[in-house]
Amino acid sequence: MGGLVGGATRALVELGASYDVIRVPGAFELPVVAKAATAGAEAYTRLAEDFTRQGKVADATIKQYQATQAVARSALAYARWAKILALRGWTAEMTAQAVEKARKAVSLDPKNGEARAALALAYDRNNQYDAAIQTAREAIDLDKSNADAHAFLAEAYADKSPLDKRAGEAAQTALADFGAGAGASRLICGSLAPFHELEDALAEFKGTGAAL
């Protein structure tokens, strides 16, 4: 395991945290969904319950809010893990894992559009086209500006029936927001909203003012 990843793993162990690992053939094993024992959602919830019993309503409210935020961050982490597995899912085992992780994300935060979009992608890569279409529609209902959801809906329609005109319609909606091309690098496509969303999430997770 690489020095940076290995160091992060050792730090998690020293802090008494547990973590899940992505296993991708030929790639690093990356700790992705870190759930620190002293700072996880369950710990915050227990503290909130203790404060409630003590009549400390304000403290209980703060801890419950922190628990909610921790759950939301965990849901996003599972959703992004699922997307990696789905996009690299060259084996049935990996696509099945993608579905499992995406379902976990949705169970943690049912109103999270990104989690449902990830589940739609995972279903599609697992050849569950009807489920993919339904889930992508649910993601769009939660957030009509979710370009991923529109793109995954188009992909599911196309995979189920290449001549389905709804595939083109969904793709056009996604293209209207982000265009088409090599969108993985700012050097090529410029700075897009998903880059900033990821950086904001990383900064919040790390407790810093910004991330790059």
Side-chain angles (χ1 to χ4, degrees), residues 18-21 30-35 73-75 77-78 81:
S18 62
Y19 59 90
D20 293 321
V21 171
L30 303 174
V32 174
V33 188
K35 297 168 289 188
R73 287 194 296 271
S74 182
Y78 272 107
W81 183 358

Side-chain angles (χ1 to χ4, degrees), residues 29-209:
E29 291 185 346
L30 303 174
V32 174
V33 188
K35 297 168 289 188
T38 57
E42 292 181 0
Y44 283 127
T45 299
R46 286 194 296 271
L47 287 170
E49 292 171 351
D50 288 343
F51 282 132
T52 299
R53 283 192 291 269
Q54 297 168 26
K56 299 179 179 179
V57 178
D59 289 331
T61 301
I62 290 171
K63 293 305 173 186
Q64 193 56 57
Y65 173 77
Q66 290 173 323
T68 301
Q69 293 297 101
V71 168
R73 287 194 296 271
S74 182
L76 285 175
Y78 272 107
R80 289 162 188 174
W81 183 358
K83 284 173 67 176
I84 291 171
L85 287 168
L87 292 169
R88 297 188 179 185
W90 53 78
T91 68
E93 180 183 2
M94 289 178 71
T95 54
Q97 287 178 8
V99 171
E100 175 193 343
K101 303 308 176 190
R103 283 176 175 166
K104 174 71 171 178
V106 171
S107 71
L108 286 167
D109 192 354
K111 294 184 178 180
N112 188 299
E114 182 175 343
R116 287 193 183 272
L119 181 56
L121 172 65
Y123 277 144
D124 179 68
R125 296 303 171 92
N126 205 42
N127 302 323
Q128 297 173 258
Y129 303 128
D130 289 333
I133 291 168
Q134 178 60 35
T135 307
R137 286 174 172 168
E138 291 170 356
I140 292 168
D141 286 341
L142 288 169
D143 180 7
K144 289 184 169 40
S145 66
N146 187 331
D148 272 355
H150 288 286
F152 299 154
L153 177 60
E155 185 172 350
Y157 276 133
D159 288 339
K160 181 180 179 181
S161 178
L163 299 180
D164 193 324
K165 68 177 183 179
R166 290 172 295 184
E169 292 170 354
Q172 286 176 355
T173 302
L175 288 170
D177 285 336
F178 296 113
S185 170
R186 279 189 168 111
L187 294 175
I188 296 173
C189 66
S191 188
L192 300 177
F195 295 137
H196 298 290
E197 291 170 6
L198 175 59
E199 289 169 353
D200 289 344
L202 289 171
E204 180 183 357
F205 178 75
K206 295 294 292 182
T208 61

